[in-house]
Amino acid sequence: NAGVTQTPKFRVLKTGQSMTLLCAQDMNHEYMYWYRQDPGMGLRLIHYSVGEGTTAKGEVPDGYNVSRLKKQNFLLGLESAAPSQTSVYFCASSVDRGRSQETQYFGPGTRLLVL
Amino acid sequence: GQNIDQPTEMTATEGAIVQINCTYQTSGFNGLFWYQQHAGEAPTFLSYNVLDGLEEKGRFSSFLSRSKGYSYLLLKELQMKDSASYLCAVLDSNYQLIWGAGTKLIIKP
């Protein structure tokens, strides 16, 4: 059981370049999330998904797009990277968002530097 | 707006006890979580409180007072491996997790 995995672990982009971050989970979880974590700030939700084929905006969605074509995968895309998107990106999954006791399981993170 | 406050950094001595406080103002309340995050790693779940009172789990305990919008995480018999950031997060009325910025705990020998 790998849990939640993320690729790549680290990436350097130039302003204007695009990239896709991949998140995969093998726990058969319905819910998946993309967060960014910046120094001195809490985790901020970018987008989330309540099931295969569905996505929704979180707190800071601008500049990002997502897709959930398969239940186990959740992709985060940056169409035109900006220095403000330099951050650590975490993917997480959970069984059910409605059951408030349910914890989220996090991937190891992707460190993105945009020059 | 929604807000979660916790101290930025705390220092404690190995073997001692430390209490990390968290106060919150959120749109609704469906529970409060504590996560531990070692430097460069992912957050991992520590505890969950939805009713007032103390939840004990080994060396770690978490307390909640919903009327005061207040929680604390108590760590006993501190070990060097407890050096980490501790994140407080509240599940609001839309079942969205609102995260605090985290408290960096430094353990000294």
Side-chain angles (χ1 to χ4, degrees), chain A residues 45-73:
Chain A
L45 185 64
I46 304 170
H47 286 279
Y48 65 97
S49 169
V50 303
E52 182 178 319
T54 70
T55 63
K57 293 180 180 180
E59 180 187 355
V60 288
D62 293 342
Y64 305 95
N65 56 76
V66 288
S67 64
R68 183 109 181 259
L69 299 179
K70 293 182 178 181
K71 186 176 183 178
Q72 63 268 34
N73 296 337

Side-chain angles (χ1 to χ4, degrees), chain B residues 22-91:
Chain B
C22 171
T23 57
Y24 62 88
Q25 290 178 307
T26 56
S27 304
F29 178 85
N30 279 300
L32 185 144
F33 293 82
W34 285 96
Y35 279 75
Q36 181 189 58
Q37 185 178 25
H38 286 100
E41 297 184 9
T44 55
F45 170 77
L46 282 179
S47 69
Y48 168 78
N49 295 70
V50 68
L51 299 176
D52 288 352
L54 189 68
E55 293 279 343
E56 297 187 76
K57 193 184 291 186
R59 295 188 298 114
F60 293 7
S61 303
S62 56
F63 172 84
L64 175 67
S65 169
R66 289 172 297 172
S67 62
K68 294 182 179 178
Y70 167 71
S71 173
Y72 67 73
L73 180 69
L74 191 71
L75 290 73
K76 302 177 185 176
E77 300 169 15
L78 286 170
Q79 302 175 9
M80 297 304 293
K81 67 178 182 179
D82 297 330
S83 292
S85 288
Y86 291 85
L87 314 180
C88 173
V90 172
L91 203 60

Side-chain angles (χ1 to χ4, degrees), chain A residues 13-111:
Chain A
L13 288 180
K14 294 181 180 178
T15 297
Q17 286 185 318
S18 64
M19 78 164 295
T20 301
L21 283 67
L22 172 64
C23 175
Q25 53 94 4
D26 61 3
M27 296 175 283
N28 202 35
H29 284 172
E30 288 294 335
Y31 289 79
M32 297 187 75
Y33 315 83
W34 275 108
Y35 291 96
R36 60 178 290 173
Q37 187 175 41
D38 300 294
M41 301 183 72
L43 287 160
R44 291 184 291 169
L45 185 64
I46 304 170
H47 286 279
Y48 65 97
S49 169
V50 303
E52 182 178 319
T54 70
T55 63
K57 293 180 180 180
E59 180 187 355
V60 288
D62 293 342
Y64 305 95
N65 56 76
V66 288
S67 64
R68 183 109 181 259
L69 299 179
K70 293 182 178 181
K71 186 176 183 178
Q72 63 268 34
N73 296 337
F74 196 28
L75 279 63
L76 178 71
L78 285 74
E79 290 187 349
S80 179
S84 60
Q85 294 178 305
T86 293
S87 188
V88 180
Y89 292 85
F90 286 102
C91 176
S93 71
S94 64
V95 170
D96 188 331
R97 196 166 187 239
R99 287 170 51 195
S100 56
Q101 296 183 44
E102 199 55 51
T103 66
Q104 293 186 12
Y105 296 85
F106 284 81
T110 295
R111 284 148 187 79

